[in-house]
Amino acid sequence: MFQVLQRRVSPLAARLHCADLATSLHDKLVLDRDDVVKVSEVDCSDPGSPDLETVVLIMREGRTSLLFRVEKRLADVTEDDLDGVADRVWEMT
């Protein structure tokens, strides 16, 4: 019998990856210093979705916060995925 093991990253590596993604998206959107981008990995129970997904929260002073889902594990999120989030933000503003 074969068992499929999911790739795991250390908690420190995950935090650093979150910070790198958040910084990259903050720069892409040319946000103010006081604006915050938070990236995290959460459990997903939606049928047909991966067990884990990445959530991007954009909080801008004086504006409604924006939440975006990337249906990928945090370790699999790429710059292209961030470009997609940035495009959706630009469409909304």
Side-chain angles (χ1 to χ4, degrees), residues 25 28-29 58 68 79-93:
L25 188 55
K28 287 177 189 294
L29 294 172
I58 301 170
F68 299 94
E79 286 293 322
D80 286 341
D81 296 316
L82 294 183
D83 289 341
V85 171
D87 288 345
R88 293 182 353 214
V89 171
W90 289 120
E91 289 171 3
M92 298 175 76
T93 57

Side-chain angles (χ1 to χ4, degrees), residues 3 15-17 26 34 36 40-41 45 48 51 59-60 68-69 79 82 86 93:
Q3 180 180 13
R15 284 196 305 273
L16 292 173
H17 190 53
H26 195 282
D34 294 334
V36 176
S40 55
E41 186 176 66
S45 60
D51 292 339
M59 298 168 281
R60 297 180 289 180
F68 299 94
R69 295 170 49 187
E79 286 293 322
L82 294 183
T93 57

Side-chain angles (χ1 to χ4, degrees), residues 30-45:
V30 193
L31 298 175
D32 293 335
R33 279 174 70 184
D34 294 334
D35 297 336
V36 176
V37 176
K38 174 107 170 111
V39 177
S40 55
E41 186 176 66
V42 298
D43 292 327
C44 180
S45 60

